[in-house]
Amino acid sequence: MKRLSLFMLMILTTIVLAACSTENDPVELENGFVYKEKSKFKEFDNYNFVAKDYDVELNYPHFGEKRIDEKIEMNRDREYEDFVNLVEADETNDEASLRIVFNPHDVRGEIFMFNITKVVKLTTDTDYSHHGTLAVNTSSGEAVLRDNLFNTEPTTREALFYRLDQSIKDTPSIAPYYDEKKLEERIMDISKTFNNVDFKGDTVQFHFEQDEIGSSAMGTPTVELAFTDVVEFLEPSIKAVVEGESMPTKEEK
């Protein structure tokens, strides 16, 4: 009986190990491999694309929802193709590399916001970074990727300025060092985007440099607004996803 039990245990162990191996084995695509990792969120896994012929690593979420994942993967493939075209246009770019990371934030149950950071290195001394936002609504099964989190029209900028202004004035630790005119100039400057924004739970954080919105004694302040208080100012397609509206692709229109 003991031998039978031991034999059955060995079989079960083999099956479990085989299943784990299959789950963690990379999936081969035409131009690279995709590796799967568990994330701290139950709603999605972390996928990592590693190219075969170029120094490219793209880390992105996989929700197991066809519509959401297709939009994210279309962006993955487009970023890869754009990078390859850039490298092939300059045959001296042997040191070129591309890294993209999606940093997730659960801002409201079914709503996830991802800060996207893309870093392109062309030579040892030449690189640039770009920031964007992925909005996902797991309830409606919609997703959209955009360069800006907020609508950048003057009316939106003005409204955000008033919200931030009031939040700073209500924060005793930074209010004495605050310069209202500096904040207004920073927010209303149409040459600047809102790539200084991050999330903490259901709070939107605006990070500023030293002396950017006050005296040096203010340090590098972080100003917080509730996510629900800024929904009306979101970039239109991101706002639509947050509010559960359908976002058809170009092929569906």
Side-chain angles (χ1 to χ4, degrees):
M1 188 67 179
K2 288 184 177 179
R3 290 183 178 179
L4 182 60
S5 298
L6 181 59
F7 179 69
M8 292 299 295
L9 180 61
M10 291 174 63
I11 291 177
L12 287 172
T13 302
T14 301
I15 293 173
V16 170
L17 289 175
C20 291
S21 176
T22 301
E23 181 181 353
N24 295 326
D25 283 346
V27 176
E28 184 173 4
L29 304 181
E30 180 181 356
N31 48 22
F33 297 90
V34 174
Y35 297 84
K36 174 183 175 182
E37 300 174 356
K38 288 291 184 183
S39 78
K40 64 180 181 179
F41 297 98
K42 69 180 188 305
E43 289 83 359
F44 61 87
D45 293 310
N46 290 325
Y47 275 26
N48 192 39
F49 169 80
V50 180
K52 293 178 181 178
D53 302 321
Y54 297 91
D55 187 3
V56 173
E57 287 190 29
L58 312 180
N59 179 270
Y60 58 94
H62 181 86
F63 283 82
E65 293 281 343
K66 185 174 184 292
R67 187 173 181 79
I68 295 174
D69 294 332
E70 282 182 348
K71 290 187 175 183
I72 296 172
E73 288 165 3
M74 284 175 59
N75 178 76
R76 174 200 68 193
D77 296 341
R78 183 168 57 250
E79 291 286 4
Y80 174 78
E81 291 170 3
D82 288 347
F83 174 77
V84 171
N85 291 336
L86 180 65
V87 172
E88 291 182 348
D90 184 354
E91 297 179 357
T92 63
N93 279 345
D94 295 332
E95 301 175 348
S97 65
L98 170 64
R99 298 289 185 271
I100 297 181
V101 174
F102 287 68
N103 188 23
H105 305 274
D106 180 358
V107 297
R108 202 182 68 191
E110 76 282 3
I111 307 298
F112 285 86
M113 290 291 185
F114 294 79
N115 289 104
I116 307 171
T117 301
K118 177 173 75 172
V119 178
V120 178
K121 179 180 177 183
L122 299 178
T123 66
T124 304
D125 302 319
T126 306
D127 59 18
Y128 68 88
S129 62
H130 179 79
H131 298 273
T133 299
L134 164 67
V136 174
N137 187 324
T138 57
S139 179
S140 66
E142 282 292 352
V144 67
L145 297 99
R146 290 292 183 266
D147 290 338
N148 293 309
L149 173 64
F150 293 110
N151 187 338
T152 55
E153 294 297 318
T155 53
T156 298
R157 289 178 177 273
E158 184 177 12
L160 278 173
F161 160 69
Y162 286 123
R163 295 287 177 91
L164 290 166
D165 174 67
Q166 190 59 55
S167 178
I168 294 171
K169 290 175 178 176
D170 291 341
T171 307
S173 61
I174 59 176
Y177 316 107
Y178 167 55
D179 187 326
E180 183 176 333
K181 185 173 178 57
K182 281 188 175 182
L183 176 68
E184 184 175 16
E185 290 175 350
R186 165 61 179 87
I187 299 301
M188 298 304 296
D189 186 348
I190 61 174
S191 69
K192 294 184 179 180
T193 61
F194 295 100
N195 61 3
N196 62 328
V197 175
D198 201 354
F199 301 90
K200 183 180 180 182
D202 59 357
T203 300
V204 182
Q205 298 181 318
F206 293 76
H207 303 286
F208 297 97
E209 300 294 332
Q210 190 168 18
D211 295 320
E212 191 173 14
I213 61 170
S215 67
S216 57
M218 198 178 191
T220 53
T222 295
V223 184
E224 296 186 346
L225 297 176
F227 180 73
T228 53
D229 290 341
V230 299
V231 169
E232 61 182 300
F233 308 129
L234 296 175
E235 190 275 339
S237 57
I238 291 179
K239 182 174 182 287
V241 167
V242 169
E243 294 179 340
E245 297 180 22
S246 176
M247 291 296 297
T249 61
K250 289 181 179 180
E251 293 75 12
E252 295 170 333
K253 291 180 179 179

PDB file of all heavy atoms in Angstrom, residues 168-185:
ATOM      1  N   ILE A 168      -2.959  72.604  -2.623  1.00  0.00           N
ATOM      2  CA  ILE A 168      -1.711  73.086  -2.017  1.00  0.00           C
ATOM      3  C   ILE A 168      -2.007  73.986  -0.820  1.00  0.00           C
ATOM      4  O   ILE A 168      -1.387  73.865   0.242  1.00  0.00           O
ATOM      5  CB  ILE A 168      -0.861  73.839  -3.063  1.00  0.00           C
ATOM      6  CG1 ILE A 168      -0.391  72.877  -4.150  1.00  0.00           C
ATOM      7  CG2 ILE A 168       0.339  74.510  -2.395  1.00  0.00           C
ATOM      8  CD1 ILE A 168       0.273  73.560  -5.329  1.00  0.00           C
ATOM      9  N   LYS A 169      -2.965  74.891  -0.991  1.00  0.00           N
ATOM     10  CA  LYS A 169      -3.310  75.817   0.088  1.00  0.00           C
ATOM     11  C   LYS A 169      -3.890  75.091   1.301  1.00  0.00           C
ATOM     12  O   LYS A 169      -3.823  75.593   2.421  1.00  0.00           O
ATOM     13  CB  LYS A 169      -4.291  76.867  -0.424  1.00  0.00           C
ATOM     14  CG  LYS A 169      -3.658  77.860  -1.406  1.00  0.00           C
ATOM     15  CD  LYS A 169      -4.678  78.818  -1.988  1.00  0.00           C
ATOM     16  CE  LYS A 169      -4.012  79.831  -2.925  1.00  0.00           C
ATOM     17  NZ  LYS A 169      -4.993  80.726  -3.591  1.00  0.00           N
ATOM     18  N   ASP A 170      -4.434  73.897   1.075  1.00  0.00           N
ATOM     19  CA  ASP A 170      -4.989  73.096   2.162  1.00  0.00           C
ATOM     20  C   ASP A 170      -3.967  72.142   2.779  1.00  0.00           C
ATOM     21  O   ASP A 170      -4.309  71.349   3.656  1.00  0.00           O
ATOM     22  CB  ASP A 170      -6.181  72.264   1.653  1.00  0.00           C
ATOM     23  CG  ASP A 170      -7.385  73.133   1.311  1.00  0.00           C
ATOM     24  OD1 ASP A 170      -7.441  74.279   1.797  1.00  0.00           O
ATOM     25  OD2 ASP A 170      -8.263  72.662   0.553  1.00  0.00           O
ATOM     26  N   THR A 171      -2.710  72.230   2.310  1.00  0.00           N
ATOM     27  CA  THR A 171      -1.652  71.345   2.812  1.00  0.00           C
ATOM     28  C   THR A 171      -0.636  72.179   3.589  1.00  0.00           C
ATOM     29  O   THR A 171       0.242  72.815   2.990  1.00  0.00           O
ATOM     30  CB  THR A 171      -0.947  70.610   1.654  1.00  0.00           C
ATOM     31  OG1 THR A 171      -1.930  69.955   0.845  1.00  0.00           O
ATOM     32  CG2 THR A 171       0.038  69.578   2.187  1.00  0.00           C
ATOM     33  N   PRO A 172      -0.703  72.196   4.915  1.00  0.00           N
ATOM     34  CA  PRO A 172       0.144  73.076   5.735  1.00  0.00           C
ATOM     35  C   PRO A 172       1.645  72.882   5.550  1.00  0.00           C
ATOM     36  O   PRO A 172       2.413  73.831   5.704  1.00  0.00           O
ATOM     37  CB  PRO A 172      -0.270  72.721   7.172  1.00  0.00           C
ATOM     38  CG  PRO A 172      -1.638  72.137   7.042  1.00  0.00           C
ATOM     39  CD  PRO A 172      -1.653  71.417   5.740  1.00  0.00           C
ATOM     40  N   SER A 173       2.069  71.677   5.203  1.00  0.00           N
ATOM     41  CA  SER A 173       3.508  71.404   5.109  1.00  0.00           C
ATOM     42  C   SER A 173       4.163  72.105   3.919  1.00  0.00           C
ATOM     43  O   SER A 173       5.380  72.349   3.927  1.00  0.00           O
ATOM     44  CB  SER A 173       3.752  69.905   5.024  1.00  0.00           C
ATOM     45  OG  SER A 173       3.135  69.360   3.866  1.00  0.00           O
ATOM     46  N   ILE A 174       3.408  72.439   2.877  1.00  0.00           N
ATOM     47  CA  ILE A 174       3.998  73.079   1.703  1.00  0.00           C
ATOM     48  C   ILE A 174       3.401  74.449   1.388  1.00  0.00           C
ATOM     49  O   ILE A 174       4.007  75.236   0.646  1.00  0.00           O
ATOM     50  CB  ILE A 174       3.885  72.174   0.449  1.00  0.00           C
ATOM     51  CG1 ILE A 174       2.409  71.863   0.144  1.00  0.00           C
ATOM     52  CG2 ILE A 174       4.688  70.893   0.627  1.00  0.00           C
ATOM     53  CD1 ILE A 174       2.212  71.061  -1.147  1.00  0.00           C
ATOM     54  N   ALA A 175       2.241  74.752   1.937  1.00  0.00           N
ATOM     55  CA  ALA A 175       1.553  76.010   1.619  1.00  0.00           C
ATOM     56  C   ALA A 175       2.398  77.265   1.863  1.00  0.00           C
ATOM     57  O   ALA A 175       2.369  78.198   1.038  1.00  0.00           O
ATOM     58  CB  ALA A 175       0.238  76.088   2.403  1.00  0.00           C
ATOM     59  N   PRO A 176       3.181  77.334   2.956  1.00  0.00           N
ATOM     60  CA  PRO A 176       3.946  78.568   3.208  1.00  0.00           C
ATOM     61  C   PRO A 176       4.998  78.880   2.143  1.00  0.00           C
ATOM     62  O   PRO A 176       5.438  80.033   2.021  1.00  0.00           O
ATOM     63  CB  PRO A 176       4.624  78.292   4.562  1.00  0.00           C
ATOM     64  CG  PRO A 176       3.777  77.240   5.189  1.00  0.00           C
ATOM     65  CD  PRO A 176       3.313  76.383   4.066  1.00  0.00           C
ATOM     66  N   TYR A 177       5.416  77.883   1.398  1.00  0.00           N
ATOM     67  CA  TYR A 177       6.488  78.068   0.405  1.00  0.00           C
ATOM     68  C   TYR A 177       5.954  78.123  -1.026  1.00  0.00           C
ATOM     69  O   TYR A 177       6.719  78.195  -1.982  1.00  0.00           O
ATOM     70  CB  TYR A 177       7.493  76.915   0.523  1.00  0.00           C
ATOM     71  CG  TYR A 177       7.849  76.591   1.959  1.00  0.00           C
ATOM     72  CD1 TYR A 177       7.359  75.439   2.574  1.00  0.00           C
ATOM     73  CD2 TYR A 177       8.649  77.446   2.712  1.00  0.00           C
ATOM     74  CE1 TYR A 177       7.668  75.142   3.895  1.00  0.00           C
ATOM     75  CE2 TYR A 177       8.956  77.166   4.040  1.00  0.00           C
ATOM     76  CZ  TYR A 177       8.460  76.009   4.622  1.00  0.00           C
ATOM     77  OH  TYR A 177       8.754  75.722   5.931  1.00  0.00           O
ATOM     78  N   TYR A 178       4.663  78.100  -1.147  1.00  0.00           N
ATOM     79  CA  TYR A 178       3.998  77.997  -2.449  1.00  0.00           C
ATOM     80  C   TYR A 178       3.946  79.337  -3.172  1.00  0.00           C
ATOM     81  O   TYR A 178       3.723  80.379  -2.569  1.00  0.00           O
ATOM     82  CB  TYR A 178       2.590  77.442  -2.221  1.00  0.00           C
ATOM     83  CG  TYR A 178       1.648  77.540  -3.379  1.00  0.00           C
ATOM     84  CD1 TYR A 178       1.976  77.019  -4.628  1.00  0.00           C
ATOM     85  CD2 TYR A 178       0.382  78.135  -3.220  1.00  0.00           C
ATOM     86  CE1 TYR A 178       1.073  77.095  -5.685  1.00  0.00           C
ATOM     87  CE2 TYR A 178      -0.526  78.197  -4.265  1.00  0.00           C
ATOM     88  CZ  TYR A 178      -0.167  77.684  -5.504  1.00  0.00           C
ATOM     89  OH  TYR A 178      -1.053  77.762  -6.536  1.00  0.00           O
ATOM     90  N   ASP A 179       4.135  79.294  -4.515  1.00  0.00           N
ATOM     91  CA  ASP A 179       4.037  80.480  -5.359  1.00  0.00           C
ATOM     92  C   ASP A 179       2.939  80.219  -6.400  1.00  0.00           C
ATOM     93  O   ASP A 179       3.132  79.460  -7.344  1.00  0.00           O
ATOM     94  CB  ASP A 179       5.367  80.749  -6.052  1.00  0.00           C
ATOM     95  CG  ASP A 179       5.387  82.065  -6.823  1.00  0.00           C
ATOM     96  OD1 ASP A 179       4.328  82.437  -7.377  1.00  0.00           O
ATOM     97  OD2 ASP A 179       6.451  82.701  -6.887  1.00  0.00           O
ATOM     98  N   GLU A 180       1.795  80.834  -6.196  1.00  0.00           N
ATOM     99  CA  GLU A 180       0.633  80.588  -7.059  1.00  0.00           C
ATOM    100  C   GLU A 180       0.928  80.910  -8.517  1.00  0.00           C
ATOM    101  O   GLU A 180       0.497  80.195  -9.436  1.00  0.00           O
ATOM    102  CB  GLU A 180      -0.541  81.441  -6.566  1.00  0.00           C
ATOM    103  CG  GLU A 180      -1.826  81.215  -7.332  1.00  0.00           C
ATOM    104  CD  GLU A 180      -2.986  82.006  -6.741  1.00  0.00           C
ATOM    105  OE1 GLU A 180      -2.959  82.304  -5.522  1.00  0.00           O
ATOM    106  OE2 GLU A 180      -3.920  82.329  -7.497  1.00  0.00           O
ATOM    107  N   LYS A 181       1.670  81.978  -8.762  1.00  0.00           N
ATOM    108  CA  LYS A 181       1.979  82.378 -10.135  1.00  0.00           C
ATOM    109  C   LYS A 181       2.827  81.326 -10.846  1.00  0.00           C
ATOM    110  O   LYS A 181       2.629  81.024 -12.023  1.00  0.00           O
ATOM    111  CB  LYS A 181       2.702  83.731 -10.143  1.00  0.00           C
ATOM    112  CG  LYS A 181       2.950  84.277 -11.544  1.00  0.00           C
ATOM    113  CD  LYS A 181       3.499  85.684 -11.492  1.00  0.00           C
ATOM    114  CE  LYS A 181       3.792  86.217 -12.887  1.00  0.00           C
ATOM    115  NZ  LYS A 181       2.597  86.199 -13.762  1.00  0.00           N
ATOM    116  N   LYS A 182       3.781  80.730 -10.098  1.00  0.00           N
ATOM    117  CA  LYS A 182       4.627  79.683 -10.695  1.00  0.00           C
ATOM    118  C   LYS A 182       3.795  78.472 -11.103  1.00  0.00           C
ATOM    119  O   LYS A 182       3.998  77.884 -12.172  1.00  0.00           O
ATOM    120  CB  LYS A 182       5.715  79.255  -9.707  1.00  0.00           C
ATOM    121  CG  LYS A 182       6.900  80.184  -9.620  1.00  0.00           C
ATOM    122  CD  LYS A 182       7.998  79.556  -8.768  1.00  0.00           C
ATOM    123  CE  LYS A 182       9.255  80.411  -8.752  1.00  0.00           C
ATOM    124  NZ  LYS A 182      10.343  79.769  -7.955  1.00  0.00           N
ATOM    125  N   LEU A 183       2.861  78.074 -10.247  1.00  0.00           N
ATOM    126  CA  LEU A 183       2.006  76.934 -10.581  1.00  0.00           C
ATOM    127  C   LEU A 183       1.169  77.241 -11.818  1.00  0.00           C
ATOM    128  O   LEU A 183       1.054  76.392 -12.719  1.00  0.00           O
ATOM    129  CB  LEU A 183       1.086  76.593  -9.412  1.00  0.00           C
ATOM    130  CG  LEU A 183       0.075  75.469  -9.706  1.00  0.00           C
ATOM    131  CD1 LEU A 183       0.793  74.135  -9.880  1.00  0.00           C
ATOM    132  CD2 LEU A 183      -0.976  75.374  -8.607  1.00  0.00           C
ATOM    133  N   GLU A 184       0.608  78.428 -11.864  1.00  0.00           N
ATOM    134  CA  GLU A 184      -0.224  78.797 -13.008  1.00  0.00           C
ATOM    135  C   GLU A 184       0.582  78.765 -14.301  1.00  0.00           C
ATOM    136  O   GLU A 184       0.117  78.253 -15.332  1.00  0.00           O
ATOM    137  CB  GLU A 184      -0.828  80.183 -12.792  1.00  0.00           C
ATOM    138  CG  GLU A 184      -1.790  80.586 -13.894  1.00  0.00           C
ATOM    139  CD  GLU A 184      -2.468  81.912 -13.610  1.00  0.00           C
ATOM    140  OE1 GLU A 184      -1.985  82.655 -12.727  1.00  0.00           O
ATOM    141  OE2 GLU A 184      -3.478  82.209 -14.278  1.00  0.00           O
ATOM    142  N   GLU A 185       1.799  79.279 -14.263  1.00  0.00           N
ATOM    143  CA  GLU A 185       2.650  79.284 -15.455  1.00  0.00           C
ATOM    144  C   GLU A 185       2.975  77.857 -15.894  1.00  0.00           C
ATOM    145  O   GLU A 185       3.000  77.551 -17.097  1.00  0.00           O
ATOM    146  CB  GLU A 185       3.931  80.056 -15.181  1.00  0.00           C
ATOM    147  CG  GLU A 185       3.715  81.569 -15.040  1.00  0.00           C
ATOM    148  CD  GLU A 185       4.985  82.304 -14.660  1.00  0.00           C
ATOM    149  OE1 GLU A 185       5.986  81.622 -14.316  1.00  0.00           O
ATOM    150  OE2 GLU A 185       4.985  83.551 -14.709  1.00  0.00           O
TER     151      GLU A 185
END
